[in-house]
Amino acid sequence: MAGKQQLKKSKVVKIDSQKSWEHHITDATIKGCPVMVHFSAYWCVPSIAMNPFFEELASTYQGVIFLKVDVDEVKEVASKFQIKAMPTFLLMSGGAPVDKTVGANSDEIRKKIDHFIHQTHSSKSI
């Protein structure tokens, strides 16, 4: 059974270039979807440790687009958002940052997504 679970396609999109970043952010903005970005580095143990949690979030929150950016591979994007430490999680809406969490704090990250989604759903129903 465990083997079949491994075949499940990741819902996290790995960003490998500035162009890829712009494409996904533009797409999310057009669709009106919030975006959660995991800024990481292959050599950063806390970043690697957060990968399964980030995958779980991506499966849980269907209406949110999850992107992963390696700060060494896509330096332009990391510097644009002044990413100084890994992991950093950036919640975006309409192409703009809404909230930022620095560090491997899964409870805080989940709280911020829940709060943001609750807030946007509440304002839409008014």
Side-chain angles (χ1 to χ4, degrees), residues 2-117:
K4 283 189 176 174
Q5 211 170 6
Q6 295 297 335
L7 295 175
K8 222 169 53 173
K9 187 169 173 0
S10 171
K11 290 185 177 1
V12 175
V13 178
K14 187 178 186 310
I15 300 300
D16 57 7
S17 67
Q18 173 86 24
K19 192 173 185 171
S20 170
W21 169 263
E22 289 166 3
H23 167 77
H24 287 288
I25 295 301
T26 301
D27 192 45
T29 303
I30 291 166
K31 291 177 179 170
C33 294
V35 177
M36 177 57 94
V37 188
H38 175 191
F39 287 96
S40 65
Y42 74 91
W43 46 262
C44 176
V45 175
S47 285
I48 295 164
M50 289 299 283
N51 286 340
F53 168 74
F54 201 63
E55 288 285 348
E56 178 200 321
L57 285 179
S59 295
T60 305
Y61 297 93
Q62 303 296 321
V64 179
I65 294 173
F66 287 81
L67 305 178
K68 185 175 173 189
V69 177
D70 185 304
V71 296
D72 295 323
E73 287 178 21
V74 195
K75 291 182 172 98
E76 310 88 356
V77 175
S79 65
K80 178 182 178 183
F81 294 101
Q82 300 174 349
I83 304 304
K84 307 274 190 244
M86 278 67 67
T88 294
F89 296 87
L90 189 65
L91 183 60
M92 300 177 70
S93 180
V98 178
D99 211 329
K100 185 190 245 185
T101 304
V102 178
N105 188 338
S106 52
D107 290 341
E108 187 68 20
I109 294 160
R110 193 182 300 272
K111 242 186 273 178
K112 287 182 178 184
I113 293 178
D114 282 340
H115 176 75
F116 180 77
I117 289 171

